[in-house]
Amino acid sequence: MSPILNLSRREFLRASGLAGGGLILGFYFAPVGSRGRAGAAQAHAGPFVPNAFIRISPDDTVTLIINKSEMGQGVYTSLPMLIAEELECDWNKIHLEPAPVAPAYNHTEWGAMQGTGGSSSVRSEWERLRLAGASAREMLIAAAAATWRVDPGSCRAQKSKVIHPDGKTLTFGELALKAADLPVPKKVTLKDPAKFKLIGRSTKRLDTPEKTDGKALFGLDAQVPGMLVALIARPPVFGGKVKSLDAEKTRAFPGVREVFQIPSGVAVVADSFWPAKKGRDLLQIVWDDGEGASLSTASMRKEYERLADTPGMVSRRDGDTAKAFRGAAQKFSAEYEVPYLAHAMMEPLNCLVDFRQDSCEIRTGTQFQTADRDAAARILGLKKNQVNIRTMLLGGGFGRRANPQSDFVSEAASVAKVLGKPVKVIWTREDDIKGGYYRPMWLDKITAALDAKGNPVAWQHTIVGQSILAGSPFEGMMVKNGVDATSVEGAADIPYDIPNILVDLHSPKNSVPVQWWRSVGHSHTAFVVESFIDELAHAAKADPCDYRLRLLAKNPRHKAVLTLAAEKAGWGTRLPSGRGRGIAVHEAFGSFIAQVAEVSVSKEGSVRVHRVVCTVDCGRVVNPDTVAAQMEGAIVFGLSAALYGAITLTDGRVDQSNFHNYQMLRMSGMPVVEVFIVPSTEGPEGVGEPGVPPIAPAVANAVFAVTGKRLRSLPIRADALKQG
């Protein structure tokens, strides 16, 4: 990995009047507006350079440019920790700015694209940001050594100062201008992890104070002078179109400015949200539903069942399953299903587009900066470098704000193009729930065979569900031989030692828009695999934890989290009457998670989760507090889906609309959650998503322990568990 590129700074900085601005290791043309703590930081203009992450001012302010979207997962603390560890700056003097869209900020694993997702933020920046910090530190030390005419090796940096053994000190701010004239070192030595002062220590989040006192700005908070607000009336059936439109009452409503059609529907533009909302309610639209009106989840399920009985595209084939089934002592089959799920972020989608004749600034919470910028540029007829995205704080993302089609940004750009004025398009909660791009609905048929000792000798798993990558920019890279890698992850790579395995896939197509949802394919495959392996354990008359451990002999990291979870949960000890425990283990995004759920079931069939013990091996940990918080949040997210979540369609229309019929876990239903981190010297891996997959099977397996009834569909239905 190349260190920071050195430019001819002296002439450039002084000619452009930036010499007084201090050492700048990050240049960019468009000024980046401040948000949160960045309010005190001065923005500078100039060209981009690689690894453009640091700005140090004469007042000792250290501004860090963060190229990942902060949506509650803590990257506005963990990524600065990587830089600060090597830079040796004063943590209390750090300010943050969101990065503009530029090649210098592209994802290190995704190619020419800037974005946040796949629980990859820390992993992908682990080396690059530390190199950025170390390079800046060495330049500052070199500047101090030149000032004192001493050997740089005799100096050290600490808390935004360079210190010499004889007691001389210079602050980073005092050294900034001189350091700017020095070449960037071609090679720097990163710290030995044993000498880390910040990485690995629980650290308070930098964004918490302003999220608490209301100063933090989210997409919904974005405003510019003269801004109007638009809401879109979208077809009630996916793929539908406007047949006729009567907007007379809407145009007469006070505050409404414009009504016009765009590709996604009918835009109502007003002075503020409520006139736009009321005006939209008054629209009289006759829709042409098209073929989508015949679509229902019931009809899709029948088609999925038919496909599950036929061979699909092979994702994994080990050994000879057919032969193994013929010679097996026992054979077991089960069918599992999970529904469409909405992302249901607390902050609904929104996008502000300030479009001028030869430029455009977009303010929104996005996970896909490059794709969204490019989409807006195409729609507005601008060059890519004429469009700037100012990334706001995201009130939840869960993948929805990483839309491959850039739907909510494209829609806002289409409105701005017609309007010719700054406009913010806002989605209501109902728009969001009914507006598509869901976690796909899945049906899985799985069959296994046991030998005389209860060991699985054959495993056949057929998966049926829509591809989220088909038709997206990622299809060419991640769909091979008809198999979408995200459809089979967590199933095609099961860790259990089974000699004969066949995993195949059907990817039916319909008009329901789908995309990644927190933990992507793992969100359904973990439920299937970990529920069925539990069934096999009971069929073999074995303890579910011991059975798993026996089959994980070749996977020490799985075994470690599973063993620790069982120990911390008191696996095997007596529980109060009416309670049971369930266990699950899963690997996702490079991390290993085990969870034990303790539940009870009422006579009416309602499930109460009392306690969850979660163990995690995510490699080297940057901020333990963030890891624990993400596991807790993932468990809340996963429980909401397991207990309540379902998007269903009737006559092509989504049945759910808001939190009254798309329920979230309430505080009164929150279990006690205990998180234990397995120490590791492996490289850092994902944290934001891996905690979701194990919770549903852990709960389902606990329900079996209490009731003796197997749950093979989600969400958990009380009528399936009602007693008497």
Side-chain angles (χ1 to χ4, degrees):
M1 185 178 299
S2 173
I4 300 171
L5 176 66
N6 184 33
L7 299 181
S8 299
R9 283 193 185 82
R10 179 178 306 193
E11 291 76 16
F12 174 80
L13 291 175
R14 291 177 179 166
S16 58
L18 296 180
L23 169 59
I24 303 176
L25 297 182
F27 298 115
Y28 43 90
F29 283 112
V32 176
S34 61
R35 176 183 72 209
R37 294 190 63 179
Q42 178 185 359
H44 297 275
F48 288 98
V49 296
N51 296 338
F53 297 98
I54 301 170
R55 182 167 71 243
I56 299 176
S57 300
D59 65 357
D60 282 334
T61 297
V62 177
T63 300
L64 305 182
I65 317 300
I66 307 303
N67 65 330
K68 301 298 180 184
S69 305
E70 175 58 75
M71 57 192 112
Q73 82 280 38
V75 293
Y76 269 25
T77 302
S78 55
L79 297 186
M81 288 172 71
L82 299 181
I83 300 173
E85 180 67 71
E86 299 287 350
L87 180 58
E88 296 284 3
C89 61
D90 187 340
W91 184 251
N92 296 315
K93 293 183 178 180
I94 289 176
H95 292 254
L96 307 179
E97 287 185 7
V101 187
Y105 304 107
N106 282 349
H107 199 292
T108 61
E109 299 173 356
W110 295 356
M113 180 179 182
Q114 184 175 333
T116 306
S119 295
S120 63
S121 292
V122 169
R123 180 185 70 236
S124 64
E125 297 296 343
W126 171 251
E127 184 177 2
R128 177 163 68 172
L129 293 188
R130 290 170 62 212
L131 281 170
S135 297
R137 180 195 70 228
E138 292 305 304
M139 293 170 71
L140 291 160
I141 288 175
T147 301
W148 297 326
R149 297 183 180 181
V150 299
D151 180 4
S154 66
C155 305
R156 62 185 175 89
Q158 181 179 336
K159 296 196 72 172
S160 291
K161 294 180 181 179
V162 177
I163 302 168
H164 189 266
D166 68 4
K168 293 192 291 283
T169 65
L170 285 169
T171 68
F172 283 5
E174 292 170 329
L175 293 166
L177 184 58
K178 190 163 190 172
D181 286 335
L182 299 177
V184 175
K186 293 182 179 180
K187 185 177 181 180
V188 293
T189 301
L190 297 177
K191 276 187 181 180
D192 181 339
K195 296 182 179 179
F196 284 162
K197 301 173 184 176
L198 196 57
I199 293 174
R201 297 180 182 273
S202 292
T203 303
K204 292 182 179 180
R205 286 179 52 158
L206 295 174
D207 55 342
T208 295
E210 294 190 349
K211 285 181 175 177
T212 304
D213 64 20
K215 293 178 183 177
L217 298 180
F218 293 78
L220 278 173
D221 300 314
Q223 296 187 46
V224 297
M227 181 190 81
L228 299 174
V229 172
L231 270 69
I232 312 299
R234 301 174 185 86
V237 172
F238 297 117
K241 296 180 180 180
V242 175
K243 189 173 183 179
S244 67
L245 168 65
D246 182 351
E248 182 178 353
K249 292 181 180 179
T250 298
R251 289 191 171 96
F253 192 85
V256 172
R257 298 289 192 91
E258 300 275 359
V259 179
F260 50 82
Q261 291 189 47
I262 60 172
S264 64
V266 180
V268 177
V269 184
D271 293 328
S272 59
F273 174 83
W274 282 111
K277 170 68 168 62
K278 295 295 186 181
R280 186 178 67 169
D281 292 344
L282 293 172
L283 287 174
Q284 295 180 343
I285 305 175
V286 177
W287 297 98
D288 179 358
D289 293 338
E291 297 180 359
S294 63
L295 199 65
S296 71
T297 46
S299 63
M300 280 188 279
R301 190 185 187 283
K302 290 181 179 179
E303 174 63 9
Y304 283 20
E305 286 182 323
R306 184 191 68 79
L307 289 171
D309 288 330
T310 65
M313 304 301 293
V314 175
S315 174
R316 178 179 178 182
R317 189 194 302 272
D318 293 352
D320 187 337
T321 53
K323 182 179 179 181
F325 280 127
R326 288 195 297 269
Q330 299 181 80
K331 181 179 175 181
F332 299 90
S333 294
E335 190 174 274
Y336 293 84
E337 59 181 308
V338 296
Y340 288 110
L341 292 174
H343 299 78
M345 308 84 64
M346 291 298 104
E347 178 199 15
L349 295 169
N350 58 85
C351 182
L352 192 165
V353 179
D354 188 358
F355 172 45
R356 307 302 168 97
Q357 184 175 359
D358 58 358
S359 68
C360 176
E361 181 171 274
I362 296 173
R363 303 187 188 199
T364 189
T366 173
Q367 297 175 242
F368 267 10
Q369 284 83 355
T370 303
D372 289 347
R373 179 206 61 185
D374 294 354
R378 285 193 301 271
I379 291 168
L380 297 172
L382 296 174
K383 297 177 181 178
K384 294 177 183 179
N385 62 8
Q386 292 177 306
V387 178
N388 179 53
I389 290 186
R390 186 178 297 192
T391 303
M392 311 298 288
L393 289 172
L394 287 63
F398 315 127
R400 180 62 181 91
R401 288 180 160 98
N403 184 265
Q405 312 304 327
S406 297
D407 71 316
F408 65 97
V409 174
S410 295
E411 187 178 66
S414 295
V415 175
K417 183 177 182 179
V418 174
L419 195 62
K421 298 177 182 178
V423 61
K424 183 196 294 185
V425 175
I426 297 176
W427 294 49
T428 65
R429 177 67 58 201
E430 289 79 7
D431 293 339
D432 182 49
I433 298 294
K434 290 181 172 291
Y437 290 102
Y438 308 109
R439 194 284 303 272
M441 164 183 162
W442 297 96
L443 187 140
D444 294 57
K445 186 171 183 179
I446 191 166
T447 304
L450 304 183
D451 63 16
K453 295 181 179 180
N455 297 313
V457 293
W459 178 283
Q460 184 168 332
H461 186 176
T462 298
I463 301 170
V464 185
Q466 289 166 264
S467 166
I468 64 174
L469 297 178
S472 80
F474 299 92
E475 181 175 9
M477 178 174 58
M478 298 183 67
V479 178
K480 303 296 183 185
N481 300 318
V483 176
D484 180 335
T486 66
S487 297
V488 299
E489 59 187 0
D493 53 349
I494 58 172
Y496 298 111
D497 189 8
I498 303 172
N500 303 284
I501 296 177
L502 175 62
V503 179
D504 59 358
L505 172 70
H506 293 278
S507 299
K509 295 181 180 180
N510 61 55
S511 59
V512 181
V514 293
Q515 72 173 74
W516 26 67
W517 182 90
R518 190 175 185 179
S519 75
V520 201
H522 298 281
S523 68
H524 81 275
T525 57
F527 171 62
V528 175
V529 171
E530 284 301 295
S531 295
F532 194 63
I533 205 76
D534 216 71
E535 294 197 41
L536 297 185
H538 285 279
K541 296 182 173 52
D543 175 85
C545 182
D546 292 341
Y547 192 76
R548 286 173 169 84
L549 289 171
R550 193 167 77 206
L551 298 176
L552 292 170
K554 299 175 183 177
N555 293 277
R557 296 179 78 179
H558 286 85
K559 287 182 64 178
V561 292
L562 188 63
T563 301
L564 182 61
E567 174 193 332
K568 296 296 185 180
W571 186 265
T573 61
R574 290 180 61 86
L575 281 170
S577 177
R579 292 195 186 186
R581 294 190 187 97
I583 197 165
V585 62
H586 194 74
E587 177 188 356
F589 305 94
S591 293
F592 304 79
I593 313 286
Q595 291 174 3
V596 176
E598 183 179 316
V599 310
S600 63
V601 181
S602 72
K603 291 182 179 180
E604 295 73 29
S606 63
V607 174
R608 174 63 190 262
V609 182
H610 299 274
R611 180 188 182 210
V612 176
V613 173
C614 175
T615 54
V616 50
D617 173 1
C618 56
R620 193 174 292 280
V621 172
V622 175
N623 189 354
D625 279 358
T626 295
V627 174
Q630 284 303 289
M631 292 302 114
E632 293 162 356
I635 287 166
V636 173
F637 195 84
L639 278 177
S640 289
L643 298 176
Y644 312 114
I647 291 291
T648 58
L649 289 90
T650 304
D651 297 328
R653 289 159 169 78
V654 174
D655 299 317
Q656 294 71 31
S657 61
N658 208 315
F659 288 143
H660 69 289
N661 56 7
Y662 192 80
Q663 190 175 340
M664 300 286 107
L665 185 72
R666 303 298 200 251
M667 290 184 70
S668 60
M670 181 65 190
V672 173
V673 176
E674 302 167 33
V675 179
F676 300 91
I677 301 172
V678 176
S680 176
T681 57
E682 299 289 336
E685 294 291 352
V687 171
E689 300 176 83
V692 174
I695 190 60
V699 170
N701 294 336
V703 168
F704 174 79
V706 176
T707 66
K709 297 179 180 180
R710 281 289 174 192
L711 296 172
R712 297 193 180 104
S713 66
L714 296 177
I716 297 171
R717 300 187 310 275
D719 58 356
L721 300 173
K722 188 175 181 179
Q723 302 174 31

